[in-house]
Amino acid sequence: MDEFGPLWGRAITAELCWLDTDGTPRALATTPLLDRGVPCVALPYSRAAEVAGLRRAGRAGFVVTDSRSVPDGESGLGCTATVEVIDDTEGDLFTVELLGQELRKYPPSRALADSPLLCRENWWWLPRIVVRLTGIPRTVPLTVRTDPTRHALLVRPGEDGPRAATVTVPGADGGNSADDKAAPGPAVPLRPLGGGRLHGDGTDALVFGHDYSIPDLERWETWALAGTLRDDGLVPDHRRGAPDAELAPLGLWQRIRAQHRLASRCKRGIVAAAKHR
């Protein structure tokens, strides 16, 4: 943790990965934060459905692989450990310990919570699902991703939780839909960025990539291929997003509609969480 904590604290973006109860690998892109020195993420309730399985998983991987978040000449890192999932439905933990960090790292949050007035108007942005590392972590070096359209994170089951590696996906094409959809077809070849072979054994696997607009992060697009890892390729059965997704700034009406959708999803998630407490 002595090595991982400082990198997590400096990083702008990161990946959170875990295994659902049926062993299916999952991942999402997130903003890395520190809760009194402990690595964590603070997800808005719009993402509650995405991380439902994480609540039962017990273990997760915190990963930094994007070259823009790793100092030159250093490797990325992945840290696997037990996690606790905290429903901060009042936003107290987030506001006191984490909001300042997010405002520095994630510029879109400034339009929602950069002043007391904005915090009152956009109260739904402050309640968070906080995922915090606990226990004794296992840290491994990972080759950094330098090409967001061809480099991705590979997540598959390991002995003690998700096992992460970075790979090249030649000619990656995730489609153009934001929703999961069937994508049967021939195996997609994968090449480990650090060299060697994958030796796929027929287990479920996920290839996950993301890219964002610089320096505003207004557009943060993800793509994924899910399927079976065989030999040195992934036989896909689902896909989501596209590695070459548009990162141009949103127009005024697009911003307004996007914020309305975000607020609606957050409010629904907060209400659902409060009912189950």
Side-chain angles (χ1 to χ4, degrees), residues 8 15-30 39-44 47-62 79-87 128-134 155 160-162:
W8 187 261
E15 298 92 43
L16 170 66
C17 56
W18 68 95
L19 303 176
D20 276 348
T21 52
D22 63 356
T24 303
R26 304 291 186 191
L28 54 80
T30 188
C40 71
V41 300
L43 306 172
R47 310 190 78 168
E50 292 181 71
V51 297
L54 179 56
R55 295 178 182 275
R56 299 181 293 273
R59 298 184 67 86
F62 283 29
C79 179
T80 303
T82 56
V83 293
E84 61 176 337
V85 180
I86 303 168
D87 278 297
R128 296 298 176 101
I129 302 167
V130 179
V131 183
R132 191 172 184 271
L133 283 182
T134 62
V155 184
D160 58 351

Side-chain angles (χ1 to χ4, degrees), residues 96-127:
V96 174
E97 301 291 343
L98 307 174
L99 176 57
Q101 298 174 56
E102 182 173 284
L103 292 176
R104 291 192 296 272
K105 292 187 176 188
Y106 184 59
S109 196
R110 299 171 194 167
L112 300 172
D114 201 16
S115 71
L117 177 60
L118 285 172
C119 286
R120 286 195 297 271
E121 291 180 347
N122 304 305
W123 61 268
W124 45 266
W125 186 240
L126 303 180

Side-chain angles (χ1 to χ4, degrees), residues 148-152 168-175 188-190 207 223 225 241-244:
T149 63
R150 297 178 63 248
H151 296 170
T168 297
V169 190
D173 181 6
V188 177
L190 303 175
V207 174
W223 60 275
L225 288 171
D244 57 352

Side-chain angles (χ1 to χ4, degrees), residues 92-228:
D92 295 334
L93 170 60
F94 177 71
T95 302
V96 174
E97 301 291 343
L98 307 174
L99 176 57
Q101 298 174 56
E102 182 173 284
L103 292 176
R104 291 192 296 272
K105 292 187 176 188
Y106 184 59
S109 196
R110 299 171 194 167
L112 300 172
D114 201 16
S115 71
L117 177 60
L118 285 172
C119 286
R120 286 195 297 271
E121 291 180 347
N122 304 305
W123 61 268
W124 45 266
W125 186 240
L126 303 180
R128 296 298 176 101
I129 302 167
V130 179
V131 183
R132 191 172 184 271
L133 283 182
T134 62
I136 300 175
R138 178 179 61 84
T139 304
V140 296
L142 297 169
T143 305
V144 296
R145 300 179 298 108
T146 58
D147 183 350
T149 63
R150 297 178 63 248
H151 296 170
L153 186 73
L154 172 67
V155 184
R156 53 176 160 169
E159 293 181 358
D160 58 351
R163 176 183 173 190
T166 49
V167 295
T168 297
V169 190
D173 181 6
N176 297 309
S177 172
D179 300 320
D180 284 342
K181 60 182 180 181
V188 177
L190 303 175
R191 187 171 67 250
L193 286 177
R197 299 184 59 186
L198 295 176
H199 302 291
D201 56 1
T203 58
D204 289 340
L206 176 73
V207 174
F208 176 80
H210 61 99
D211 195 13
Y212 51 91
S213 57
I214 300 174
D216 53 51
L217 273 81
E218 180 181 38
R219 303 293 299 274
W220 194 352
E221 304 295 336
T222 64
W223 60 275
L225 288 171
T228 304

